[in-house]
Amino acid sequence: MVSGGIHILGEGGGGEHQRIRKEALATLWDLMPAVLGESDPVPYRTVLFGLDPHKIIGRSARLVGSECSGATDYRSQDRPSPSKVT
């Protein structure tokens, strides 16, 4: 579970906002070049957003027979949020 903020990376906004949007698009296109294009496999997903996690709580699991087998709980420390996009 993640708690924190979410911000929409729309086309408007100032210089820092646009830098973050361009970086997000470049990352998406590196992973999946068709994103937001004509051959996008999920064309109804059109909103880019960023997350500012403050706290992350979850579990991890490992394969049985590996050096570290079994499930473990992981609880993060509260940490300051990165700067927000306005």
Side-chain angles (χ1 to χ4, degrees):
M1 179 177 0
V2 177
S3 37
I6 183 171
H7 51 270
I8 304 300
L9 299 174
E11 293 182 13
E16 180 68 7
H17 179 87
Q18 288 305 307
R19 184 193 65 75
I20 292 170
R21 178 181 165 78
K22 287 178 184 177
E23 186 177 315
L25 283 170
T27 300
L28 285 172
W29 288 330
D30 283 346
L31 296 170
M32 187 176 222
V35 168
L36 299 176
E38 289 182 21
S39 59
D40 190 335
V42 284
Y44 51 87
R45 295 182 187 173
T46 59
V47 178
L48 292 177
F49 60 90
L51 300 174
D52 289 324
H54 297 277
K55 189 173 189 178
I56 301 170
I57 299 173
R59 298 174 184 244
S60 67
R62 293 177 178 76
L63 295 173
V64 175
S66 67
E67 287 182 24
C68 299
S69 63
T72 57
D73 279 340
Y74 168 77
R75 299 193 182 263
S76 70
Q77 300 292 321
D78 287 331
R79 58 187 175 123
S81 173
S83 62
K84 298 211 181 295
V85 175
T86 56

